[in-house]
Structure formats: C-alpha cells, structure tokens
Amino acid sequence: MLRLQAPLPERFIDDDPVNAERIAAAKATLGDRVFILGHHYQRDEVIAWADATGDSFRLSQQAQSHPEADHIVFCGVHFMAESADILTGDHQQVILPDLNAGCSMADMADLDEVEEAWEAIARVTDIDRVVPITYMNSSAALKAFVGRQGGAVCTSSNARAVLDWSFGSVGDGGRDGRQVLFFPDQHLGRNTGVAMGHSLDDMAVWNPRKADGGLDEVTIKESTFLLWKGHCSVHQRFTPDLVAAFRSEFPDGEVIVHPECSHETVSLADRVGSTDFIIRAIEEAPAGSTFGIGTEIHLVSRLAHQHPDKRIVSLDPMVCPCSTMFRIDAAHLAWVLEGLVEGRVENRITVDPETASWARVALDRMLEIV
Ligand code: 13P
Ligand code: SF4
C-alpha cells in the first residue's frame, strides 16, 4: 500500500538533540490536549515521550480511555492508528508521525483478495459456519469485512480467547463456528490452533495468489483452520537453528518468542506470547536469569538495559529491527507536536464512517470477549 510522507521542514534534523527540547516544550504547552501512545517496538528516543506504552491490544484500550485528549499521537504503525481512530470519539483526531510507517504483514491481505476467498469458500461449504478472524495487523477495510460477516479482530495477546469464542456454542455466547478463515498472519493462527489442541492436519494455507487459494474442494470443506498465507518478515527470521544455537551457548537459559514466529520455532520455545507477555515474564523472573528472546530488537535491547541483573539477548545475532516502526523518530514526533501548537494537524489518520462503523463492530466484539 502506497503512503507518502513528505520530507520534514529543514529545521527538523535526525539525531539532533534539539528535537527533545522541542518535544518537551510542545508537550508542556499542549498538556492534556494531546496523548502520546508508544508501541514497544519504537525507538527509545520516542518511547521516552509516550504517555502510555503497550502491545497493540493495550494501546487500543488506552486510545479509547482518554476522551479528554483532542489529539492522539500514535507512535506505532498505520493499522494501529486506524484502530485508534475507530475506537476514539468524533471530537478526537489521531496522528501518525510518519505516514510511511506501515506493516508489511498487514499489506499481505487486501479487501478484494479476502472477498474473493470468501466467495470461493462459500461455493463449497456452509459459509454461515465459517468465522472470519482478522489479526489487529490489518487494514480497517478488513476489520469492517469481519464485522459485517459476524467475525472478530484478535491481537497476539487474545487470539486464543477469540478463537475459543469462534468455536464456542451460541448458548455460551460463542459463534458456533465449524471453520475459521484467519488472516493475514498464518503463524499466529497456526500457533494458537495448536495450543488449543488442534492438529496441523486440520489446517490449510490459503494462498491468495492461486485460484481457490491453491486448495481442492475437500480441503476447503474439511479444514478447521484456513490460514492466510501472510507473515511478519521480522519474526520469520527467528529460525529453529537460532533457538538451538542459544541453547548450546546458554543451557540454563529460557527461550521466549512472539507468536508471529513459525510453528517450528514456537514448538522449541519455553514460552510464547505478545510483547506485553514477554515484558511481564522478564519482570517476574529472578535476578541471574538468562533469556533468549524472539521479537523485535528495540524491545529486546530496552529490556536488557532495564534489567542489568538478568542476561537478555536476541535469538538473532544479526539485529532485526522492524523497518516501518523505525521510521518514527524524535524529529517526526517534534514536527507533529509543534504543528499542533501552531494549530496545524499533520498526518491525521481517518477511516471513513461506513468502514469505521463495521470495523468497530469487530473491534468491540474482541473487547467484549477478553
Ligand atoms: P503485539 O500485539 O505483541 O504488540 O504485536 C504487534 C506486532 O506488530 C508484532 O509484530
Ligand atoms: Fe508488521 Fe512485523 Fe513490523 Fe509487527 S514487526 S509491525 S507485524 S512488520
């Protein structure tokens, strides 16, 4: 998806210490009128200014619970800012400091492809018993599709609860699904399904580049999980070989990975969970513990810095930042905040009302389930 960030005015220079002074001054002037959210993968120079940090689920709750702020500055990626716009009041405006901060995984599924898949599945199976579930890492258009079709959004911290709801009986408030179409991350869907006790044989990968997802009729009909062929380029780097290398160097160490990693890697890890889960696990561990972490490097480095009494290393010795999260820096944050002080709203993210109302249905279902 093409998004265009114009160059900043010349006075905003990368790595200029003046950016911090600009942010501090603008924040002091704006007070409660602005609320800054920071995802855990953001740079330290950005996280330092966040009023709330969190994983994508916690940040969506935070966005919703600050009606006093006229402006929510979302230091994260585009789909997170869209969700914040959907969940916040009409009087609030959401700002993404760099428009090019997208998510390559979210871009792996678009509305046309998902609608085509839905029609193809409806030709061979009872579509009323298929529940569409979209990972938070998706466009607002896909969240709206899911809202219209009786499905829900999930994040990495609540995928299990949302899938339990999908297959749960109507009497228990569930959706009574027989099958789930899960997009865009095949790994989160597969890892969660296996943790629920489903077999890999019950899952098929839907390839949007092939007719009927590249699947035959029986497979479409019989698979409990139809998993979209999407992935995160950051998390797919954490291979089983890296887990083995960490274990041979640190035999007493513990491996914790994000559920966007492949099933082969997750099955070798000691624990798996969202970014908030990883943070809590490390906070609760005794001094002297050693961890090999499979998630984005800014979070891993921050945890290592915050816990000098524990050894915390990335499973991947070749540093792997999320290049789109990385686009937001102190210069862009200073630029949008100074704009607000001067009465200009730069980089506002809006979702059209029709899309927003259906996407909100899917997001509200998630918030009710968990
Ligand atoms: P969390 O839900 O754990 O914050 O993950 C979001 C994300 O984009 C991970 O790549
Ligand atoms: Fe998207 Fe992966 Fe970056 Fe998360 S880490 S924002 S899934 S590209």
Side-chain angles (χ1 to χ4, degrees), residues 41-58:
Y41 295 165
Q42 291 288 298
R43 304 168 186 231
D44 288 345
E45 70 190 45
V46 171
I47 285 290
W49 301 103
D51 296 306
T53 59
D55 63 7
S56 51
F57 178 61
R58 190 197 291 256

Side-chain angles (χ1 to χ4, degrees), residues 110-131:
D110 70 27
L111 182 60
D112 287 349
E113 291 170 331
V114 170
E115 282 180 340
E116 262 175 42
W118 194 249
E119 282 163 25
I121 296 165
R123 281 197 288 274
V124 300
T125 190
D126 176 5
I127 201 70
D128 291 338
R129 303 284 309 278
V130 183
V131 185

Side-chain angles (χ1 to χ4, degrees), residues 1-125:
M1 194 172 291
L2 185 67
R3 299 179 188 103
L4 285 180
Q5 177 61 58
L8 299 188
E10 271 176 23
R11 64 182 191 283
F12 295 97
I13 300 165
D14 292 0
D15 299 326
D16 183 347
V18 174
N19 291 325
E21 290 165 31
R22 290 195 155 116
I23 295 169
K27 244 186 138 227
T29 307
L30 293 163
D32 285 350
R33 284 182 288 144
V34 70
F35 195 74
I36 302 178
L37 295 172
H39 186 269
H40 296 307
Y41 295 165
Q42 291 288 298
R43 304 168 186 231
D44 288 345
E45 70 190 45
V46 171
I47 285 290
W49 301 103
D51 296 306
T53 59
D55 63 7
S56 51
F57 178 61
R58 190 197 291 256
L59 291 178
S60 64
Q61 289 176 315
Q62 286 287 336
Q64 211 175 18
S65 52
H66 287 279
E68 75 287 354
D70 297 335
H71 300 102
I72 305 284
V73 175
F74 210 123
C75 300
V77 288
H78 192 267
F79 70 80
M80 297 179 180
E82 274 191 336
S83 297
D85 182 55
I86 293 161
L87 290 169
T88 48
D90 291 345
H91 62 290
Q92 295 178 289
Q93 297 182 325
V94 176
I95 289 169
L96 182 66
D98 186 319
L99 291 180
N100 288 340
C103 163
S104 54
M105 175 207 283
D107 292 346
M108 287 178 195
D110 70 27
L111 182 60
D112 287 349
E113 291 170 331
V114 170
E115 282 180 340
E116 262 175 42
W118 194 249
E119 282 163 25
I121 296 165
R123 281 197 288 274
V124 300
T125 190

